[in-house]
Amino acid sequence: MSTSVHIVATGARTSLGLQARPSAAALRAGISSMGDHPFMVDQAGEPMPGALDSFLDPCVMGPKRLLVLAESALREVCALLNNAKEPHLRLPLYLGLPEFRPGFSKGDAQEVQSRLGKLEGLPIQISEVKVLTEGHAAGLSALTVAMEYIRKG
């Protein structure tokens, strides 16, 4: 038996916008937010390039930064699901995070996982938060894991 899986809502907070649709529109329009980081420098002492969220203080780093970004995207998705027929949907959250490295530890990932699972004011209930620490590939890995979860019923 084959089960169809459909994406019904998306959320994002990027350097191009505070939500998925404006971010995608800016990207399609060829807008770039690349610039010099305000205080990070490379080994030669030159400013490091980056695309920063202009509404988020660049001094906010690590788990705190990831929480701000993830919560914003999650609340956007939940707003789109707010009209769901089931008033108290109970759903797992699959979260893609950076790979473990200096500056991002297993403890950092656990902090993000724990705090996202305790968010209040959402129109859904988060049954569990599963973290995938695979860097840029984590988003696609999260989709794969979520599809398997749906296929298993």
Side-chain angles (χ1 to χ4, degrees), residues 75-110:
R75 289 195 184 279
E76 180 184 1
V77 167
C78 286
L80 297 169
L81 295 175
N82 204 19
N83 295 325
K85 292 182 181 176
E86 289 186 50
H88 298 289
L89 280 175
R90 205 165 145 72
L91 300 170
L93 172 62
Y94 298 96
L95 179 66
L97 292 176
E99 296 177 83
F100 300 135
R101 55 175 165 64
F104 187 73
S105 67
K106 187 174 184 177
D108 293 333
Q110 289 170 337

Side-chain angles (χ1 to χ4, degrees), residues 4-88:
S4 293
V5 176
H6 304 272
I7 296 173
V8 297
T10 60
R13 177 157 174 178
T14 73
S15 61
L16 296 175
L18 299 179
Q19 295 180 325
R21 288 182 180 170
S23 294
L27 183 65
R28 284 191 305 272
I31 296 171
S32 171
S33 61
M34 286 296 291
D36 290 339
H37 193 280
F39 58 83
M40 292 180 74
V41 294
D42 63 18
Q43 292 177 342
E46 296 296 320
M48 291 182 70
L52 299 175
D53 180 330
S54 62
F55 292 95
L56 184 55
D57 184 340
C59 293
V60 176
M61 300 173 123
K64 289 179 183 174
R65 183 175 199 83
L66 293 173
L67 280 163
V68 169
L69 298 172
E71 181 179 349
S72 179
L74 179 59
R75 289 195 184 279
E76 180 184 1
V77 167
C78 286
L80 297 169
L81 295 175
N82 204 19
N83 295 325
K85 292 182 181 176
E86 289 186 50
H88 298 289

